[in-house]
Amino acid sequence: ISHDLRTPLTRLRLEAELSIADEGARQAVVSDIEQMEAVISQFMDYARTESGEAPMPTDLSALLSQIAERQNAVGHTLALEICELPGIKTRPKAITRALNNLIDNAWKYGASEVLLSATINAQEISLNIVDNGPGIPEKEIERLKRPFTRLENARSNASGTGLGLAIVERIARQHAGRLELKSSPDGGLLARLVLPLS
């Protein structure tokens, strides 16, 4: 499906860039094509979270630092607060995908500041993304973890497939962990990916 959809989209993009003379119209068409490609990528991420990557020893501190560096490189200043983390077995690409989904959500839905932190509690590691956006009503939290579900208020003032949190929830379960969404004490949303140490 990805190949069958992306091939004609690539042709459309090329045709738009070569044949649409008006700059504004051309950019609008290219923007629509990029949005369709992003939707395809979300579907593919959701489909592939169950397979493909074997667990391996992972340096979580290094992984979180790399995520912060990439976010900062694209102009999203991400504050990073991590303690010394033990190495654990994870699927590092899946964990990176999950954290990037949560960070992207924080930026997309109105945050002007985003913090990525990590803490160890009992036998668990908590990877926390805290934003200062509008947050999510408590009664909506479990529903929003389901596929193709979006919030119908100001926080959903952006395009998307409704798969981002479902992908994170699936990756958390794949690691025998969980996704928690809570109101941040200072306003905004606290998204927590909890992973067992063992």
Side-chain angles (χ1 to χ4, degrees):
I1 290 171
S2 173
H3 177 267
D4 290 347
L5 290 174
R6 283 189 165 135
T7 300
L9 285 174
T10 301
R11 284 197 302 265
L12 281 172
R13 180 198 289 264
L14 184 61
E15 184 67 28
E17 290 176 351
L18 293 175
S19 64
I20 300 177
D22 180 79
E23 176 69 21
R26 183 171 58 250
Q27 286 305 318
V29 170
V30 168
S31 176
D32 286 344
I33 291 169
E34 286 173 350
Q35 190 172 355
M36 286 185 270
E37 288 172 337
V39 168
I40 293 167
S41 293
Q42 279 267 284
F43 287 137
M44 295 309 295
D45 279 350
Y46 185 70
R48 72 168 67 101
T49 50
E50 292 293 345
S51 63
E53 187 183 13
M56 63 180 67
T58 305
D59 181 343
L60 277 179
S61 297
L63 186 140
L64 298 181
S65 295
Q66 289 167 3
I67 289 171
E69 284 171 19
R70 279 192 228 107
Q71 289 285 327
N72 290 327
V74 296
H76 291 163
T77 304
L78 180 69
L80 185 64
E81 291 179 7
I82 54 175
C83 60
E84 190 68 32
L85 298 173
I88 63 171
K89 272 194 165 185
T90 74
R91 294 167 172 86
K93 289 180 185 172
I95 294 296
T96 299
R97 183 180 304 127
L99 291 173
N100 279 328
N101 278 2
L102 294 174
I103 294 165
D104 290 347
N105 276 352
W107 288 115
K108 189 189 299 183
Y109 297 119
S112 57
E113 298 175 8
V114 179
L115 167 68
L116 171 59
S117 68
T119 54
I120 301 174
N121 304 306
Q123 294 302 307
E124 298 177 329
I125 295 177
S126 294
L127 306 176
N128 312 295
I129 290 89
V130 183
D131 69 49
N132 63 350
I136 295 174
E138 193 84 21
K139 63 182 184 188
E140 296 284 348
I141 286 174
E142 289 307 312
R143 184 181 73 83
L144 289 174
K145 293 179 185 178
R146 296 198 302 260
F148 309 108
T149 306
R150 295 183 62 212
L151 195 61
E152 298 302 328
N153 70 7
R155 191 167 174 100
S156 66
N157 195 14
S159 59
T161 59
L163 283 174
L165 291 178
I167 290 169
V168 178
E169 172 83 356
R170 188 180 273 188
I171 290 169
R173 285 198 317 266
Q174 195 177 39
H175 287 81
R178 64 189 182 277
L179 169 64
E180 298 175 353
L181 302 172
K182 301 180 177 183
S183 295
S184 171
D186 301 320
L189 183 71
L190 164 61
R192 177 178 290 139
L193 179 60
V194 182
L195 304 173
L197 280 170
S198 57

